[in-house]
Amino acid sequence: MESDDELIAIVSMECRLPQADGVEEFWRKLVAGESAISDLTDAEVAAAGVPADQRSRPDYVKRAGVLDGLAEFDSTYFGYSPREADILDVQQRLMLESSVSLLERANIDPHRTRQRIGVFAGSGMSTYLFGALRRRDLVESLGEMVIRHGNDKDFLATRTSYKLNLRGPSVNVQTACSTGLVAVHSAVQSLLLDECDAAIAGAVHVRLPQQAGYRHQVGGVLSPDGVCRPFDSGANGTVFTNGIGLVLLKRLRDAVADGDEVHAVIAASAVNNDGAEKVSFTAPSVSGQVDVLSDALQISGAKQTDIAYIEAHGTGTALGDPIEIEAIKQAYGLDGDPCGIGSLKGNFGHLNIAAGIIGLIKAALVLKHKYVPPTVNVDEVNPALELDGSRYFVTTEGLPLDRDTDNWVGVSAFGMGGTNGHVILKSFEPDPAKAADGPATVPGAAEGPSVLTFSARSEAALRNQAAALADHLAAHPDTSLAAAAYTLREGRTLHPYRASLAAVDRAEAITRLRAGRYHRGAEADPAGIAFVFAGQGTQRRAMGAALTATNEHFARRLDEAVDAVNEHTDFDVRAHLGPDGEVDGIDTSVAQPLLFAVEYALATSLIDAGVRPGHVLGHSLGEIVAATVAGVFDLPTAAALVATRARLMGRCPSGAMLAVDRLDAFADLLAGGDLVVAATNSPAQHVLSGTHEAVEAAAARAADAGVRHQRLATSHAFHSPLMRDAAEAFREFLGTVTLHAPRIPLVSNITGRLLTEYEARSPHYWADHLLRPVDFAGSMETLREAGVRRFVEIGPGRSMSNLVRANLASESGPGLDLAQTLGEPEHEEESFADAVALGWAVDPEVPIEEYASAPRMVPLPTYAFERHVHWVEPVLGFGTEDVSAPATPAPATPAPSAPAPAPASAPVAAPSATPADDDLDGPTEEIRKVVAKVFETFLGGPAADHDREFFELGGNSLMAIQLINKLRETFELDFSVRDFYENSSVAATTNVIKSLLLQEPARV
């Protein structure tokens, strides 16, 4: 190509091949010189349907390249019902899953990107179709059109574009064995014409049954022993195998600007056809190959001698190999530097439709690693190639490339029927001056907390995502956590099940991921977050100091609160916030304003960050802060209120408090009035309050009765009659201020219920707050009944988190989610970031850019598909026998089919209960059962939620027509298409049918 503006970058690659599930395994196998073709047992060949008289013939070859897990597919991810997934061609399944992985390797979220992404791909003829069409039950339930659509290669590219939301050109390419490389050429042309900004290009080929083997014919193209020997003197045929290969292409200038990893650069591509000047339709042509190689070379601007290696078509046939070598010599010349020639078909066999794209991926890896793997199965180079004395040689051993210069390689693919493709690649070394904003990792740079986010289509897949991310971080110690967070935020699709965590280093992130200690959220779970405000006694030295130094929002809010409180105190709250500030043993009149200022700043800065509570509650003083955040008091009023409250409480007679784990031992002491229950924190934690003498007696009683107990470091008996004078004076003060109804649901300490508007605006309520016991356990029960399972502790330490956990001990598994805003003193910034992470898990609109930004993205694991068996037993050849069910088990460990999913583009709705039998009258229930059974027939699984629409459950319009006809036939009535589309759930359809049977209008 004439200029850099016409160069095309390969920015990601993906493949699935026999014994190589991914690009990394593919390269390892090439470098090791290993073969992926395996021997088949007679039992495997018999199970594939090969009759005994055929498989026992001496010319029947029992060898094949077998793809593992072919029966498994993540139908949920792509919004397929189990039944439709069962009949979808395995090639189309591989294309869908591999395309997702390809885009994620390039860190592209197709649902958010503005790039127009094209698809240029081809597949083999679907042999999976033969088995599906023999299943009468499938044909009758789904209809022949649905089955054909799921297997017709015409829909390979467009199905991928539809399911992945890709908006560039979507074109099928079919040129037999050169398909994959011609697809690349087509994508290159589309990019050069500015029809798209990125393009998926490649091909897939799967012939079923995989373990069938084949019969060798003398003079044919198939190897008599199942071994492909490219360029060997004993080359006598090839072996067709299965696999998929895809690349993602961009204009080089765009790839560099986007900070993409460039594996190699396409300098030129060319395509032609042999025409009629050859022996037969299937025979190769020297002149056609010479022309296509020469065209590509001329376009590339390279000299003949620049090409250091050619990944040849190299089928290992006596006719094809000499013709290809002759074409290379004519196109690239005989004189000049040595040039290696190799072929991967010795390792993986002939991948048919996908042969050219796999050759291109190998060539790109050669340039990336600057190493040519050995061509295997070459004992003696075929003398008919006439390589002696030329500059060409077969790479029978590994060949290092020059690391100090640009390297050029060529790739060829020739299709039966004469369509030839040739691509010239060159190596790429990024210019640091042109890299997008510099490197992603700055060695030795200290990182603040990073928020890692990931999501999936199911809870199980979410766990797999966490495990894969942990393994990757452990295996790549140079990965910047900030860059990983940025990649996860910008380069991954957001799915209904979400997870997040904050960490300051890789080790912590790995530990939390592997232990499952990350925050969870889901579209089907609308329950929000409760802010829990700590009470007096939780204060600590320099609380908030570390966060103030790094979080300007918190620092601003803290200044705002301190200034407001200082208006009503005779001391400066700031004097107690620094590292030298005194907090131990300070008077109540100091402790409460101090704690109020910090907690108010924490809550409001967290709300500023986008984390909005659905409920608020607090413990004693904490309820005053909660009420302020909820809008009962404005900040000036709250500051005056807290300062007054603290001063009045500090003037009360001194007393003591004792925490105990049960109350039965203190009944007589409590009856006297000098000892009261000040708080019920949980079923196993109570606080007694009273005079010093009463608490001493209670402590002695506890010791005698074996009751666990602990004296609290307080100077007063809070929430006891000793606070009566303060309560009366406080009531008078409250009569001078304006109180409001809470804007956020506020749970009362006193009642354990949601605070009413009357209570919120009543001076008596807030005055009695000093006297009445704290019913924290009751407050938690109210939140439990409301479905709240996520809590953010507002205040220093973890005391409130421990109380929440104690009250919800039976739900302390994945359902209970806790975060602190000021955890350990040395981790304040991380704790606050983790609270933001919890907010994101609940609401992904919470901005996390502050904790997930980097100069560029980095490679991370691709989506961990949750695959289930979806399989129709294949048949050998063009069988005509009718069957109703598979005759033999699927070639994998059976797993239950995935539940009926929501479409990929729709959110997962919260399931509603299926109507109980006693909720419906007899006739309606009978109709509903029949309708549900029909739905199950088409969806391949139970319609567990009778209120969800047919299309939400994975149905499509073609299936709907078949279902409507089945309903008409079953109930012998005219059930219209419109009736179904407007009422497509089991419940709504039942009502329509019942009305039609009764000949009265439907009420739906």
Side-chain angles (χ1 to χ4, degrees):
M1 296 182 180
E2 295 179 358
S3 69
D4 286 353
D5 287 343
E6 295 181 315
L7 296 176
I8 302 297
I10 300 175
V11 298
S12 69
M13 303 182 290
E14 183 67 23
C15 66
R16 279 184 67 180
L17 302 169
Q19 300 180 27
D21 189 7
V23 172
E24 293 78 11
E25 291 183 17
F26 169 58
W27 179 247
R28 283 196 292 269
K29 209 157 187 71
L30 289 173
V31 171
E34 298 174 354
S35 171
I37 312 302
S38 53
D39 293 322
L40 303 173
T41 66
D42 192 66
E44 288 174 324
V45 177
V50 181
D53 61 332
Q54 290 189 33
R55 64 178 187 268
S56 62
R57 294 175 59 98
D59 59 356
Y60 197 86
V61 182
K62 300 174 185 176
R63 281 176 64 78
V66 178
L67 281 175
D68 292 331
L70 204 58
E72 299 172 357
F73 175 57
D74 192 341
S75 57
T76 301
Y77 186 98
F78 299 101
Y80 282 109
S81 69
R83 181 56 52 83
E84 190 176 7
D86 287 345
I87 59 89
L88 184 64
D89 181 24
V90 292
Q91 297 177 114
Q92 309 245 359
R93 303 180 195 178
L94 288 172
M95 182 68 188
L96 288 171
E97 290 188 348
S98 296
S99 295
V100 170
S101 298
L102 182 78
L103 291 173
E104 291 201 344
R105 283 180 179 268
N107 295 322
I108 293 176
D109 174 7
H111 294 279
R112 286 187 293 167
T113 185
R114 294 183 178 181
Q115 299 178 66
R116 299 162 298 159
I117 302 174
V119 180
F120 300 85
S123 67
M125 180 179 71
S126 173
T127 51
Y128 191 69
L129 173 66
F130 303 149
L133 288 177
R134 290 179 67 205
R135 287 277 302 277
R136 182 173 298 167
D137 59 324
L138 293 177
V139 175
E140 289 182 353
S141 63
L142 296 176
E144 185 175 317
M145 183 175 292
V146 171
I147 295 175
R148 291 190 181 276
H149 273 208
N151 288 269
D152 193 330
K153 58 187 179 182
D154 277 4
F155 303 111
L156 179 78
T158 51
R159 176 174 280 111
T160 302
S161 295
Y162 169 64
K163 287 295 184 180
L164 273 59
N165 191 40
L166 309 180
R167 300 179 183 276
S170 192
V171 181
N172 276 35
V173 179
Q174 299 297 157
T175 61
C177 305
S178 60
T179 293
L181 210 57
V182 174
V184 169
H185 172 79
S186 301
V188 167
Q189 298 306 308
S190 184
L191 285 163
L192 293 177
L193 291 172
D194 198 29
E195 294 176 336
C196 57
D197 304 306
I200 295 172
V204 55
H205 176 263
V206 177
R207 174 182 173 270
L208 297 172
Q210 287 197 95
Q211 292 91 347
Y214 61 90
R215 183 179 174 186
H216 168 66
Q217 293 179 322
V218 177
V221 298
L222 297 177
S223 167
D225 58 1
V227 178
C228 182
R229 301 176 174 84
F231 311 120
D232 185 64
S233 60
N236 55 3
T238 196
V239 182
F240 285 106
T241 55
N242 300 326
I244 183 172
L246 299 174
V247 294
L248 187 70
L249 306 179
K250 282 186 177 181
R251 290 177 287 272
L252 179 60
R253 64 177 183 272
D254 294 339
V256 171
D258 293 342
D260 294 323
E261 180 181 11
V262 177
H263 300 279
V265 171
I266 297 177
S269 65
V271 171
N272 72 357
N273 192 274
D274 294 333
E277 295 182 0
K278 56 183 182 177
V279 175
S280 68
F281 175 72
T282 59
S285 162
V286 172
S287 61
Q289 293 183 22
V290 169
D291 287 345
V292 79
L293 270 62
S294 299
D295 287 347
L297 182 63
Q298 181 179 6
I299 295 168
S300 72
K303 300 189 296 290
Q304 290 178 322
T305 55
D306 286 337
I307 309 301
Y309 172 73
I310 296 173
E311 175 62 24
H313 194 53
T315 56
T317 58
L319 175 63
D321 286 359
I323 287 178
E324 182 171 9
I325 295 299
E326 178 59 28
I328 290 173
K329 288 189 287 189
Q330 289 188 32
Y332 281 101
L334 299 175
D335 301 323
D337 296 333
C339 177
I341 299 174
S343 171
L344 61 81
K345 291 180 177 62
N347 308 87
F348 290 94
H350 193 325
L351 288 147
N352 203 305
I353 300 294
I357 187 63
I358 299 300
L360 182 82
I361 292 173
K362 176 186 172 182
L365 292 170
V366 164
L367 291 174
K368 180 179 179 179
H369 296 287
K370 295 186 181 296
Y371 179 81
V372 180
T375 298
V376 301
N377 300 332
V378 183
D379 295 328
E380 178 188 9
V381 176
N382 187 355
L385 304 180
E386 299 180 352
L387 295 179
D388 292 341
S390 74
R391 71 187 189 96
Y392 302 100
F393 63 96
V394 177
T395 54
T396 55
E397 297 180 354
L399 173 68
L401 296 180
D402 190 339
R403 292 184 172 271
D404 297 325
T405 64
D406 286 342
N407 290 293
W408 299 71
V409 302
V411 186
S412 294
F414 310 124
M416 283 189 177
T419 295
N420 308 305
H422 191 66
V423 173
I424 294 178
L425 304 177
K426 74 172 182 177
S427 57
F428 176 79
E429 296 295 336
D431 181 352
K434 295 181 179 180
D437 300 321
T441 305
V442 180
E447 294 183 342
S450 295
V451 172
L452 304 179
T453 56
F454 52 99
S455 64
R457 297 288 299 177
S458 69
E459 186 66 43
L462 193 71
R463 292 192 295 270
N464 294 337
Q465 293 281 86
L469 182 57
D471 291 345
H472 179 88
L473 292 175
H476 298 84
D478 57 340
T479 299
S480 159
L481 204 61
Y486 176 53
T487 303
L488 291 167
R489 174 173 71 87
E490 285 296 314
R492 294 295 183 267
T493 297
L494 182 63
H495 299 294
Y497 292 86
R498 303 179 292 269
S500 59
L501 62 92
V504 293
D505 56 44
R506 287 175 44 262
E508 182 187 9
I510 292 167
T511 298
R512 289 189 62 180
L513 287 166
R514 287 180 171 167
R517 289 191 295 108
Y518 41 80
H519 307 299
R520 296 169 176 84
E523 289 182 7
D525 179 8
I529 298 172
F531 281 10
V532 186
F533 294 78
Q536 186 175 344
T538 59
Q539 64 270 14
R540 68 176 184 222
R541 186 183 299 274
M543 56 180 174
L547 186 61
T548 301
T550 58
N551 189 314
E552 62 180 26
H553 303 289
F554 173 73
R556 176 174 53 81
R557 286 293 194 173
L558 184 59
D559 282 342
E560 179 182 310
V562 168
D563 289 343
V565 171
N566 279 347
E567 290 285 330
H568 306 279
T569 62
D570 56 3
F571 63 92
D572 185 356
V573 170
R574 287 185 181 84
H576 296 273
L577 290 175
D580 299 325
E582 184 61 47
V583 294
D584 295 332
I586 58 175
D587 189 77
T588 295
S589 63
V590 177
Q592 291 192 15
L594 177 65
L595 201 58
F596 170 85
V598 172
E599 291 189 4
Y600 175 84
L602 286 170
T604 52
S605 57
L606 197 58
I607 292 172
D608 291 342
V611 183
R612 301 191 176 278
H615 293 81
V616 291
L617 74 156
H619 194 285
S620 189
L621 169 69
E623 185 168 335
I624 303 297
V625 195
T628 306
V629 171
V632 175
F633 323 116
D634 58 28
L635 179 57
T637 300
L641 182 152
V642 167
T644 302
R645 181 182 189 269
R647 188 164 49 249
L648 293 172
M649 293 174 72
R651 293 172 182 171
C652 290
S654 66
M657 303 181 79
L658 181 74
V660 297
D661 67 348
R662 68 177 199 267
L663 295 175
D664 57 290
F666 310 101
D668 59 324
L669 298 179
L670 291 170
D674 290 336
L675 187 73
V676 298
V677 176
T680 300
N681 289 330
S682 76
Q685 187 183 116
H686 311 270
V687 177
L688 303 177
S689 182
T691 63
H692 291 287
E693 295 77 14
V695 171
E696 287 288 348
R701 177 71 58 81
D704 292 341
V707 176
R708 290 197 301 272
H709 61 286
Q710 181 179 357
R711 292 288 292 266
L712 301 185
T714 61
S715 57
H716 291 78
F718 301 124
H719 300 283
S720 78
L722 295 179
M723 293 287 109
R724 182 169 289 112
D725 291 344
E728 291 177 359
F730 192 44
R731 185 179 296 110
E732 292 181 11
F733 166 79
L734 288 165
T736 67
V737 302
T738 302
L739 306 177
H740 307 276
R743 295 190 297 269
I744 302 171
L746 171 62
V747 186
S748 166
N749 264 180
I750 295 177
T751 67
R753 304 185 306 270
L754 289 179
L755 191 72
T756 66
E757 180 178 354
Y758 172 78
E759 290 168 330
R761 302 182 70 170
S762 167
H764 296 281
Y765 174 86
W766 296 109
D768 287 348
H769 204 267
L770 279 63
L771 298 170
R772 301 275 296 274
V774 174
D775 187 9
F776 191 83
S779 300
M780 290 305 304
E781 178 62 19
T782 293
L783 290 176
R784 187 193 67 78
E785 292 175 354
V788 179
R789 301 293 182 273
R790 300 180 181 91
F791 300 86
V792 173
E793 178 168 357
I794 307 295
R798 299 173 179 269
S799 59
M800 291 298 101
S801 296
N802 293 335
L803 287 185
V804 169
R805 194 176 284 109
N807 279 281
L808 301 178
S810 62
E811 304 178 31
S812 59
L816 181 61
D817 211 339
L818 299 166
Q820 295 78 40
T821 45
L822 288 182
E824 292 76 12
E826 64 274 19
H827 294 146
E828 287 186 350
E829 187 184 6
E830 181 184 359
S831 293
F832 190 87
D834 200 51
V836 174
L838 173 56
W840 182 93
V842 174
D843 177 10
E845 293 299 317
V846 170
I848 58 170
E849 290 83 354
E850 181 179 353
Y851 303 105
S853 293
R856 63 179 175 86
M857 290 184 265
V858 294
L860 288 179
T862 57
Y863 188 84
F865 290 108
E866 185 191 8
R867 297 184 173 106
H868 297 270
V869 171
H870 293 285
W871 191 247
V872 174
E873 192 62 29
V875 297
L876 189 65
F878 299 86
T880 57
E881 177 187 359
D882 287 331
V883 294
S884 296
T888 56
T893 303
S897 288
S905 59
V908 177
S912 61
T914 300
D917 290 350
D918 55 4
D919 291 338
L920 303 171
D921 58 51
T924 303
E925 172 60 15
E926 288 302 312
I927 295 171
R928 184 186 63 79
K929 287 181 178 179
V930 175
V931 170
K933 188 66 177 177
V934 173
F935 270 62
E936 291 170 15
T937 301
F938 283 84
L939 294 170
D945 184 350
H946 287 188
D947 290 325
R948 286 181 65 188
E949 304 297 315
F950 176 75
F951 303 100
E952 284 186 74
L953 295 169
N956 61 41
S957 56
L958 291 175
M959 294 167 64
I961 297 301
Q962 300 293 323
L963 184 145
I964 291 166
N965 286 327
K966 185 66 175 179
L967 292 172
R968 289 170 175 165
E969 176 186 323
T970 302
F971 291 99
E972 298 182 351
L973 49 75
D974 185 15
F975 184 50
S976 72
V977 172
R978 179 176 178 178
D979 280 339
F980 182 77
Y981 270 69
E982 293 179 352
N983 307 279
S984 69
S985 68
V986 169
T989 298
T990 298
N991 289 342
V992 172
I993 290 175
K994 177 185 176 183
S995 297
L996 290 172
L997 291 172
L998 296 174
Q999 294 185 342
E1000 60 183 35
R1003 295 181 176 86
V1004 295

